Amino acid sequence: MTSPKPKTIQTMKPETAAKKLGVLLSATPAEFQAGVVSRDELNELQSTPPAWLADLRRNGPHPKQVVAAKLGVSNSGLTRGGITGPLTTAEIDALKAENPAWLERERSIQAETRKEALRLKQR
């Protein structure tokens, strides 16, 4: 009979954890950037976010995928619109209020893409 192996703790790099949390790694505290994050720590951060995480999620700066989602466009659409870096919530709100032509066009492209994906899924 063999004895059960001790359960290993799953860990991830700070970059991966930041992506899963939807925040920009460079905006996180130094101790977060320097260490590894266990699966349990990530779950704890998601369920009861500390003040720094809640503030980053609320005000930014937000990574590209979060900016794209908040604007309702694709990552490629952001690039075509000239947005290549992270934006704060205030900058995103200003873009929404301004509603430039590229944003309108990219939103319509995104809507068509979603409609087509839904149509194909229903086949």
Side-chain angles (χ1 to χ4, degrees):
M1 217 193 230
T2 60
S3 60
K5 292 181 182 177
K7 190 174 180 181
T8 58
I9 297 174
Q10 282 185 319
T11 59
M12 62 191 82
K13 294 178 182 176
E15 296 88 5
T16 305
K19 189 171 187 172
K20 288 180 181 285
L21 292 170
V23 296
L24 194 63
L25 178 64
S26 60
T28 60
E31 60 269 10
F32 181 84
Q33 294 178 30
V36 294
V37 180
S38 71
R39 175 66 62 189
D40 292 337
E41 290 170 334
L42 179 70
N43 291 340
E44 179 69 24
L45 286 170
Q46 288 174 326
S47 64
T48 55
W52 64 264
L53 180 56
D55 186 51
L56 273 178
R57 286 178 168 168
R58 185 176 35 256
N59 302 319
H62 303 289
K64 191 174 182 177
Q65 68 270 16
V66 174
V67 173
K70 286 181 178 272
L71 290 174
V73 299
S74 66
N75 285 347
S76 300
L78 279 181
T79 303
R80 286 190 294 267
I83 307 295
T84 57
L87 296 178
T88 63
T89 301
E91 292 169 327
I92 292 169
D93 291 343
L95 260 176
K96 284 180 179 178
E98 183 184 324
N99 201 20
W102 71 265
L103 183 56
E104 253 182 74
R105 184 176 60 253
E106 291 301 331
R107 281 181 170 168
S108 67
I109 291 170
Q110 185 74 348
E112 287 299 319
T113 302
R114 286 187 181 135
K115 229 187 283 183
E116 180 65 11
L118 182 62
R119 184 187 70 80
L120 291 174
K121 187 177 179 181
Q122 291 175 343
R123 287 174 100 185

